[in-house]
């Protein structure tokens, strides 16, 4: 907040006498004389002198005058009234001056200062953004705005306005609490160091590398003012070792799937090298599954990670509502599938990453009925396939001031199935994810909109089809359509082309040190089709409902949802655990 306006006035050896004389005349109230330009200049000079001397009351009284007076008077009056903590009067004076001179950013800066003193950070930010639009090179406004975002805990937004001024410069960087992770991995994960200036790009890259290690359930970056205008940087990371942060957390995570006959054995940071072993064991009689994955940094680089996995399934499918080609309904199709693969994930920087992988899979089908054509039989042909894929994720837009991001992803996959009637195939998928936190702090009313689409060319088997429905092994959720019928898969619409939109908002209901409860509505919409005409949705699908998310120990999230199909009115209640 500026403390001294810059006003020009002509000097004179008799200035003091003139000021005293004019002051006396004004005190006696001669309006005709007061409107004289020369006298107005003297009144302004006198008000300025009173302000410089710290006589706020006198400066405010001298600067107040007729409505059509020069905006310089309104500016000086606003400054003086602000010094007297007469906030509403100061705002009126500054607003009046800005209306007369809307191209002068000084008024917006001082209005921001008044709002800041009243703890109205939202209004202060609005005025400062307006001031920067009028004067983009105003370092004071940039510094002021960065400080407000810093106080709100929005470090990325603060850096956006600090960095052009070559700030904030780091005095030190440390981890808290101390980590068991190897020092070489820890140091390479951090893209900044003291005494460098902490940039927004370095912050985002560090966050992406830390996430890529896969051993931290939460992260937070804190800056603390140090001497000489520098800052101390502290990374607060909740590190998972062995079963997790603690034995209690490990047991909770392991047994979280018991309601649906599943356990999740997981071990993290083995050998202090960010080597993670995750697995799923499900003994549901309709959907047995064993999954095992081992991941670790390549060449000791936190930005480069290799994942090796194996997946075995023994599943029963009921396709009576989704497959149109069988002479008799397929209600007891059994599919056994085994797959093994490898995937590399690389963090280029905080805004984009890429991945590449390959998989070999074998599947066989039992309990099939009679088929009328080879096209029908192709979906249930025993085969071995080999496929490879390449994908990328990139942030398209970031507005840290509004806490809004727009991310995109794309993946291309090509492969071949080795069986009569099948052959080469290719799949292309893409997505857009808009994420918005409307509050200046925290994650209350967190809102997400995800748009996804995909298509497959060539002949594929049942397990390669897209599915729009809520089911544990499927990520294309249409939350008013159950993915199972009587515990068997195949109830949700299937096909080789799909389009899906998911919208949801979460309101914080309760929070303590053990768990956080969120509740909010959702709307899902989409369609799935297949060129064979044997699968697909008959129409565009619309679901709406509400969901509750319970985050336990900051590590896993229990999701309870109720969705309703807006066409036929059927409802689906569903519960699962997200790791």
């Amino acid at each position: 907040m500026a403390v001294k306006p810059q006003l020009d006035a002509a000097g004179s050896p008799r200035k003091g006498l003139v000021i005293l004389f004019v002051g006396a005349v004004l005190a006696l109230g001669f309006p005709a004389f007061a409107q004289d330009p020369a006298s107005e200049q003297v009144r302004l000079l006198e008000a300025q002198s009173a302000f410089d001397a710290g006589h706020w009351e006198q400066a405010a009284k001298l600067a107040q005058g007729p409505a059509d007076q020069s905006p310089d008077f309104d500016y000086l009056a606003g400054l003086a009234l602000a010094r007297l903590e007469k906030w509403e009067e100061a705002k009126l004076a500054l607003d009046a001056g800005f209306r007369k001179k809307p191209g002068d950013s000084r008024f917006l800066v001082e209005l921001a200062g008044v709002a800041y003193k009243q703890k109205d950070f939202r209004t202060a930010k609005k005025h400062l953004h307006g001031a920067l639009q009028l004067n983009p090179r105003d370092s004071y406004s940039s510094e002021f705005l960065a400080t407000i975002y810093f106080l709100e805990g929005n470090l990325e937004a603060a850096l956006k306005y600090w960095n052009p001024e070559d700030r904030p410069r780091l005095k030190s960087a440390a981890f808290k609490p101390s980590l068991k992770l190897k020092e070489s991995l820890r140091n390479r994960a951090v893209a900044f160091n003291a005494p460098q200036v902490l940039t927004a790009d370095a912050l985002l890259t560090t966050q992406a590398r830390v996430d890529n290690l896969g051993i931290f359930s939460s992260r937070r970056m804190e800056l603390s003012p140090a001497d000489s205008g520098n800052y101390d940087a502290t990374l607060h990371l909740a590190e998972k070792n062995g079963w997790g942060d603690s034995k209690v957390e490990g047991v909770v995570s392991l047994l979280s799937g018991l309601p649906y006959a599943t356990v999740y054995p997981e071990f993290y940071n083995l050998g202090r090298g960010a080597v993670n072993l995750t697995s799923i064991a499900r003994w549901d009689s309709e959907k047995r599954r064993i999954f095992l994955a081992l991941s670790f940094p390549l060449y000791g680089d936190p930005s480069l990670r290799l994942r090796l996995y194996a997946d075995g399934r023994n599943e029963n499918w009921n396709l009576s509502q989704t497959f149109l080609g069988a002479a008799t309904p397929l209600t007891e199709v059994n599919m056994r599938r085994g797959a093994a693969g490898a995937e590399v994930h690389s963090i280029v920087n905080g805004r984009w990453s890429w991945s590449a992988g390959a998989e070999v899979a074998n599947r066989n089908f039992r309990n099939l009925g009679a088929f009328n054509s080879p096209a029908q039989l192709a979906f249930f042909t025993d085969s071995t396939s080999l496929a490879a894929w390449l994908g990328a994720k990139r942030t398209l837009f970031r507005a840290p001031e509004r806490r809004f991001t727009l991310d995109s992803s794309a993946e291309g996959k090509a492969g071949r199935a080795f069986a009569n009637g099948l052959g080469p195939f290719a799949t292309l998928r893409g997505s857009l994810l808009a994420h918005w936190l409307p509050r200046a702090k925290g994650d209350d009313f967190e809102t997400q909109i995800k748009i996804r689409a995909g298509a497959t060319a060539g002949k594929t088997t049942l397990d390669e089809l897209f599915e729009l429905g809520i089911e544990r092994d499927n990520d294309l959720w249409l939350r008013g359509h159950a993915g199972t019928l009587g515990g068997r898969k195949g109830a949700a619409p299937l096909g080789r082309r799909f389009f899906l939109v998911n919208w949801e908002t979460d309101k914080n209901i309760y929070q303590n040190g053990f768990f956080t409860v969120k509740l909010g509505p959702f709307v899902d919409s989409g369609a799935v089709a297949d060129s064979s005409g044997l699968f697909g949705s008959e129409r565009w699908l619309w679901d709406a409902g509400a969901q509750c998310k319970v985050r336990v120990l900051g590590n896993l999230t229990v999701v309870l949802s109720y969705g309703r199909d807006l066409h036929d009115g059927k409802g689906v209640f569903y519960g699962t655990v997200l790791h």
Side-chain angles (χ1 to χ4, degrees):
M1 182 172 174
V3 297
K4 181 177 180 180
Q6 302 300 314
L7 305 173
D8 295 328
S12 171
R14 299 182 179 179
K15 181 174 69 174
L17 293 175
V18 173
I19 290 175
L20 291 175
F21 173 73
V22 173
V25 171
L26 291 174
L28 292 173
F30 291 96
F33 184 77
Q35 296 299 319
D36 181 75
S39 63
E40 288 291 279
Q41 183 66 25
V42 174
R43 178 166 71 95
L44 185 60
L45 188 61
E46 185 181 39
Q48 173 70 66
S49 298
F51 183 88
D52 292 342
H55 302 149
W56 321 126
E57 289 277 7
Q58 182 183 0
K61 185 179 295 185
L62 289 167
Q64 291 173 323
D68 61 348
Q69 68 178 357
S70 167
D72 287 333
F73 285 105
D74 299 317
Y75 180 67
L76 190 56
L79 287 179
L81 291 167
R83 290 283 186 162
L84 295 168
E85 298 187 0
K86 297 181 178 181
W87 308 121
E88 296 304 318
E89 294 178 51
K91 283 193 288 187
L92 290 174
L94 293 168
D95 277 330
F98 185 63
R99 285 194 299 271
K100 297 173 188 176
K101 199 174 181 181
D104 192 339
S105 63
R106 297 178 306 162
F107 293 97
L108 292 176
V109 173
E110 296 305 331
L111 282 167
V114 171
Y116 176 82
K117 288 293 187 180
Q118 294 182 293
K119 306 299 182 183
D120 185 358
F121 288 177
R122 181 178 181 180
T123 300
K125 290 184 294 185
K126 176 184 175 181
H127 289 315
L128 288 170
H129 280 296
L132 284 172
Q133 288 181 347
L134 294 173
N135 186 8
R137 297 183 178 181
D138 182 9
S139 59
Y140 178 82
S141 295
S142 295
E143 172 70 21
F144 195 170
L145 194 55
T147 300
I148 294 177
Y149 283 121
F150 174 68
L151 293 175
E152 289 180 332
N154 190 341
L155 182 56
E156 184 183 349
L159 293 176
K160 179 176 179 178
Y161 294 95
W162 259 331
N163 288 165
E165 307 304 320
D166 202 29
R167 296 192 63 200
R169 189 165 296 277
L170 300 179
K171 179 185 177 183
S172 66
F175 295 89
K176 188 176 181 179
S178 58
L179 303 179
K180 294 183 179 180
L181 180 67
K182 289 180 180 178
E183 185 177 359
S184 58
L185 284 170
R186 180 187 65 195
N187 293 339
R188 294 185 69 178
V190 179
F192 55 84
N193 212 332
Q196 297 176 346
V197 171
L198 176 62
T199 65
D201 287 341
L203 174 66
L204 294 175
T205 299
T206 298
Q207 292 174 344
R209 290 177 182 175
V210 165
D211 291 343
N212 198 45
L213 288 170
I215 62 171
F216 300 108
S217 57
S218 67
R219 54 169 168 75
R220 180 171 60 88
M221 175 79 167
E222 180 184 19
L223 284 185
S224 303
D227 54 9
S228 304
N230 296 327
Y231 288 82
D232 293 322
T234 305
L235 284 85
H236 297 268
L237 305 175
E239 186 181 40
K240 294 188 288 186
N241 292 283
W243 280 21
D245 289 344
S246 64
K247 291 183 179 180
V248 173
E249 179 181 323
V251 171
V252 170
S253 178
L254 173 68
L255 304 180
S256 58
L258 281 181
Y260 45 90
T262 305
V263 291
Y264 298 93
E266 298 174 339
F267 301 92
Y268 295 94
N269 201 22
L270 300 175
R272 300 173 52 235
V275 177
N276 303 331
L277 181 65
T278 58
S279 60
I280 300 173
R282 183 192 302 148
W283 58 92
D284 184 326
S285 60
E286 305 290 351
K287 304 185 291 290
R288 296 184 179 92
R289 184 183 184 189
I290 295 292
F291 175 84
L292 182 66
L294 178 69
S295 65
F296 51 88
L298 279 176
Y299 310 114
D301 186 353
S303 63
L304 195 61
R305 191 167 190 85
L306 175 65
R307 184 173 72 106
L308 307 173
Y309 66 90
D311 190 8
R313 307 187 190 196
N314 185 348
E315 302 171 339
N316 294 322
W317 289 63
N318 185 339
L319 299 170
S320 59
Q321 298 181 356
T322 53
F323 183 65
L324 308 177
T328 57
L330 300 179
T331 59
E332 298 182 355
V333 174
N334 176 260
M335 183 186 72
R336 297 184 179 184
R337 184 181 191 273
E343 182 179 44
V344 175
H345 186 236
S346 175
I347 302 296
V348 179
N349 55 42
R351 298 181 182 273
W352 80 281
S353 63
W354 62 266
S355 60
E359 179 186 82
V360 59
N362 176 269
R363 76 276 296 158
N364 61 77
F365 298 89
R366 298 186 300 172
N367 302 332
L368 299 175
F371 296 103
N372 299 322
S373 69
Q376 298 173 3
L377 180 61
F379 292 103
F380 307 95
T381 300
D382 296 349
S383 64
T384 297
S385 64
L386 180 64
W389 63 89
L390 179 65
K393 294 182 179 180
R394 184 172 181 83
T395 298
L396 299 179
F397 179 72
R398 298 189 72 92
E401 310 95 323
R402 300 184 180 276
R403 307 183 75 193
F404 175 85
T405 58
L406 178 63
D407 296 317
S408 66
S409 70
E411 181 183 275
K413 180 179 179 181
R416 182 179 182 88
F418 301 95
N420 293 331
L422 298 179
F425 63 90
T427 298
L428 183 64
R429 294 183 61 166
S431 71
L432 290 173
L433 173 61
H435 183 245
W436 181 41
L437 295 169
R439 295 288 179 87
K441 295 181 178 181
D443 60 354
D444 205 12
F445 293 105
E446 180 180 10
T447 300
Q448 295 187 74
I449 301 176
K450 181 179 285 188
I451 302 173
R452 287 175 286 179
T456 297
K459 295 181 179 181
T460 58
T461 50
L462 177 66
D463 55 299
E464 296 289 344
L465 296 178
F466 299 115
E467 176 186 11
L468 296 191
I470 191 163
E471 203 276 321
R472 237 167 287 283
D473 298 322
N474 177 48
D475 65 341
L476 301 177
W477 281 13
L478 203 61
R479 285 165 282 193
H481 285 72
T484 59
L485 183 63
R488 297 179 179 180
K489 290 186 175 183
L494 299 160
R496 279 179 284 191
R497 300 190 308 273
F498 81 94
F499 183 85
L500 178 63
V501 179
N502 303 106
W503 169 85
E504 62 185 54
T505 294
D506 295 321
K507 165 65 180 171
N508 290 335
I509 301 299
Y510 179 77
Q511 185 173 5
N512 61 24
F514 184 74
F515 60 87
T516 301
V517 180
K518 298 182 177 185
L519 182 66
F522 66 80
V523 175
D524 301 331
S525 179
V528 62
D530 193 87
S531 57
S532 68
L534 301 173
F535 287 102
S537 55
E538 297 179 356
R539 58 195 171 205
W540 202 268
L541 307 172
W542 289 89
D543 295 349
Q547 65 182 3
C548 178
K549 297 178 182 178
V550 182
R551 188 165 179 81
V552 182
L553 294 173
N555 188 35
L556 56 88
T557 301
V558 179
V559 179
L560 304 173
S561 69
Y562 178 79
R564 198 168 186 85
D565 184 340
L566 299 184
H567 285 296
D568 62 20
K570 294 181 180 179
V572 177
F573 179 80
Y574 187 77
T576 191
V577 175
L578 304 179
H579 285 249

